[in-house]
Amino acid sequence: MHLMSTRVKIVIFVVIVLALAGTSILFYRFFSGNNQSSSSKSQITPQQEVNALTIYDWWTSPSESTAIHDLINVFEAQYPDVAIAASPVTGGAGFNMMPVVSSLAAAGQAPDAFQMHAGYEARPYFDAGLLSQIDDIWSSQGLKQVMPDIIQQMCQFDGHFYSVPVDVHRSNVIWYNKKILDRYHIDPATLTTWNALFSAADKLRANGISTPIQMGESWTAAQVFETMVAGEGIDFYQDWINGKVTSSDDPKMIDALKTFKKYLSYTNSDSGSLTWDAAVDRVVKEQGAFDLMGDWADGEFKLVGMQYGKDYGSIVAPGTQGVYGLVVDTFQHPKGISHPTNSDRWLEVVASRAGQDAFNPAKGSISSRSDSDATKYDTYQRSAMSDFKSASHYFPSVTNGSGAPREFELNYIAIMGNFVADQNILKAADAMASTTFKTLSDYNRVWSL
Ligand code: GAL
């Protein structure tokens, strides 16, 4: 066996030292500095910066991919020389994408921007020192003048901006197949209480539609249930997201669980393995009449050529009339990224009137800007715009990342998954109270709805 020559050993040693140095620089770039004083300006000089942009999102359903492509087209029209690498990760509400982005970030390879809900979901990234402060973008683009206060607050930590919104979705909507309701003489305007909805479901079942309400995997069950919590009153919802519902026999929580148990008696038994858009598709195909889902469902109905008011329609979930469940998607400028100039350009396009009026019409959402061009939006969206303006209260969705700390949210979704399976009210109420109690120290934002 040959022994290594001294020269080979030296070369190997130098390679190892350089590799270690490179790794530490990457880690330093990610975790050094503090959020409060950092700005989005990177130390990479323009000469070093490759003209590229990497983006991650979870918009993979047919209407979602249409919407993100429409937004990318606006960017490309302004910056035709930028090479864009968009990486969509399947999995509604981002539960698959988030771990992917977190690992990339920890390895020093965060994308230049990624989809992230406003509010609590951004907190772990902020705490890890991963987000650049972007007050400069908010002021250079005049965003404070056109974004509603509640959305501004949701994009801030400690009084500074760390993200820009691209949309405002509504969570508390029940979608229906209008042909089915017409056929059985069900007037959607009468479905203002859960009991009225359940009576309509009974009627449909008596006419052979065995699962009149369609529901998807556990996060969608959690979104149904949080809507029922909101239906117990905005003050109760506010207490819930402020971590104040810590008793396992809270009468409003028990009442909401009873409503949910009854609701489940009308839903499909394969919900646990059904994606949100597959559940919508069943309503499209008349296999079910109703589906409580955020208004990203509007995009799916529309894309298959259905017309709002003629083929499908929506009602505000019982008990939540006049209040608006908020789901807000944002992008940000992660620290230490390879293409900081293009990250900033992306944020400017995301927040712009042209960008939002290209993205939201296909997505089902409304623009987060008050100066959007309403003529570009459909009948549902125009009614959502007016509901948004006149809402008495807004409640941030827990399921979709905004309302409560991340650990609570993940536990809550697991509790709802279990509840769908065992429908044990006392067990669920107890699990919910105890997870609130265990995560109390994470509640660092006081919502005043
Ligand atoms: C929400 C997100 C929406 C939509 C939906 C389904 O959390 O905010 O934009 O994508 O998930 O994936």
Side-chain angles (χ1 to χ4, degrees):
M1 192 173 92
H2 292 287
L3 287 177
M4 261 189 260
S5 73
T6 313
R7 185 189 290 220
V8 170
K9 283 185 192 156
I10 290 171
V11 170
I12 291 175
F13 176 75
V14 169
V15 167
I16 291 173
V17 168
L18 286 177
L20 287 174
T23 311
S24 13
I25 287 167
L26 280 176
F27 273 93
Y28 174 77
R29 278 168 54 193
F30 258 98
F31 294 108
S32 65
N34 81 30
N35 283 301
Q36 284 69 17
S37 62
S38 65
S39 94
S40 65
K41 300 285 169 272
S42 163
Q43 284 154 5
I44 295 179
T45 64
Q47 292 95 310
Q48 292 170 299
E49 197 180 325
V50 173
N51 202 10
L53 173 72
T54 56
I55 322 162
Y56 270 68
D57 63 74
W58 65 82
W59 289 316
T60 57
S61 82
S63 65
E64 289 176 320
S65 9
T66 305
I68 181 68
H69 281 112
D70 289 349
L71 179 59
I72 289 174
N73 286 344
V74 176
F75 183 91
E76 276 179 334
Q78 285 180 38
Y79 304 104
D81 298 333
V82 177
I84 303 173
S87 303
V89 179
T90 43
F95 293 106
N96 295 345
M97 192 212 75
M98 281 300 169
V100 174
V101 167
S102 302
S103 319
L104 285 172
Q109 292 164 357
D112 301 318
F114 57 92
Q115 187 187 349
M116 177 180 83
H117 289 122
Y120 269 110
E121 191 167 288
R123 188 84 212 189
Y125 295 97
F126 172 76
D127 288 344
L130 180 66
L131 302 184
S132 295
Q133 186 219 94
I134 53 168
D135 287 357
D136 51 350
I137 292 182
W138 273 78
S139 53
S140 70
Q141 305 303 304
L143 301 183
K144 281 186 165 184
Q145 284 79 57
V146 292
M147 300 289 178
D149 281 351
I150 176 94
I151 309 290
Q152 293 198 32
Q153 286 164 31
M154 288 167 75
C155 294
Q156 290 181 34
F157 290 113
D158 299 346
H160 294 282
F161 290 101
Y162 288 89
S163 60
V164 297
V166 65
D167 59 24
V168 177
H169 271 299
R170 188 177 201 178
S171 60
N172 53 327
V173 189
I174 297 182
W175 300 90
Y176 59 82
N177 183 308
K178 186 156 187 305
K179 292 208 169 113
I180 301 184
L181 298 204
D182 287 350
R183 194 176 305 141
Y184 299 109
H185 310 292
I186 295 167
D187 176 1
T190 62
L191 308 180
T192 54
T193 63
W194 290 112
N195 281 337
L197 183 81
F198 298 151
S199 302
D202 283 330
K203 189 170 186 186
L204 294 173
R205 187 170 268 169
N207 282 285
I209 300 174
S210 56
T211 49
I213 305 179
Q214 291 295 320
M215 195 177 77
E217 56 195 307
S218 53
W219 72 264
T220 71
Q223 187 173 321
V224 172
F225 184 69
E226 73 178 26
T227 307
M228 288 165 178
V229 173
E232 295 289 323
I234 201 72
D235 291 342
F236 183 63
Y237 193 92
Q238 180 176 293
D239 281 351
W240 185 52
I241 62 173
N242 281 334
K244 291 200 171 138
V245 182
T246 50
S247 143
S248 55
D249 56 2
D250 188 287
K252 288 191 184 283
M253 188 55 80
I254 300 283
D255 193 53
L257 284 163
K258 281 184 183 158
T259 306
F260 193 30
K261 185 168 178 169
K262 177 89 176 150
Y263 186 93
L264 291 175
S265 69
Y266 299 103
T267 59
N268 44 309
S269 57
D270 63 350
S271 64
S273 58
L274 203 67
T275 61
W276 72 267
D277 47 314
V280 173
D281 196 46
R282 289 198 180 162
V283 177
V284 168
K285 296 194 170 123
E286 299 194 15
Q287 291 157 359
F290 300 108
D291 181 15
L292 191 158
M293 186 41 59
D295 54 15
W296 41 93
D298 182 56
E300 294 296 302
F301 285 111
K302 196 159 49 172
L303 200 65
V304 295
M306 290 174 80
Q307 217 180 310
Y308 190 79
K310 178 168 165 270
D311 307 308
Y312 73 104
S314 71
I315 52 167
V316 176
T320 65
Q321 291 89 353
V323 296
Y324 212 96
L326 286 178
V327 181
V328 180
D329 295 299
T330 69
F331 286 91
Q332 66 306 84
H333 181 125
K335 276 194 197 164
I337 48 177
S338 308
H339 316 109
T341 306
N342 285 331
S343 175
D344 284 353
R345 288 172 170 167
W346 172 251
L347 297 186
E348 287 166 15
V349 169
V350 160
S352 70
R353 189 171 186 251
Q356 300 221 355
D357 284 347
F359 175 80
N360 289 297
K363 189 70 170 57
S365 36
I366 59 173
S367 171
S368 57
R369 300 177 62 110
S370 54
D371 61 353
S372 68
D373 178 358
T375 62
K376 298 211 157 94
Y377 293 77
D378 67 26
T379 318
Y380 163 74
Q381 290 165 313
R382 286 203 293 273
S383 76
M385 283 173 193
S386 108
D387 285 2
F388 182 79
K389 276 193 206 120
S390 64
S392 59
H393 300 279
Y394 305 90
F395 67 95
S397 170
V398 170
T399 307
N400 296 282
S402 296
R406 188 70 173 163
E407 201 187 330
F408 174 84
E409 179 201 339
L410 296 177
N411 291 341
Y412 162 59
I413 289 167
I415 292 167
M416 285 299 116
N418 292 338
F419 185 72
V420 171
D422 66 20
Q423 299 185 24
N424 185 328
I425 291 177
L426 295 181
K427 187 178 140 209
D430 190 51
M432 197 102 78
S434 79
T435 192
T436 306
F437 198 71
K438 279 192 204 125
T439 54
L440 269 188
S441 60
D442 297 346
Y443 287 77
N444 43 29
R445 181 188 281 264
V446 181
W447 294 106
S448 173
L449 302 180

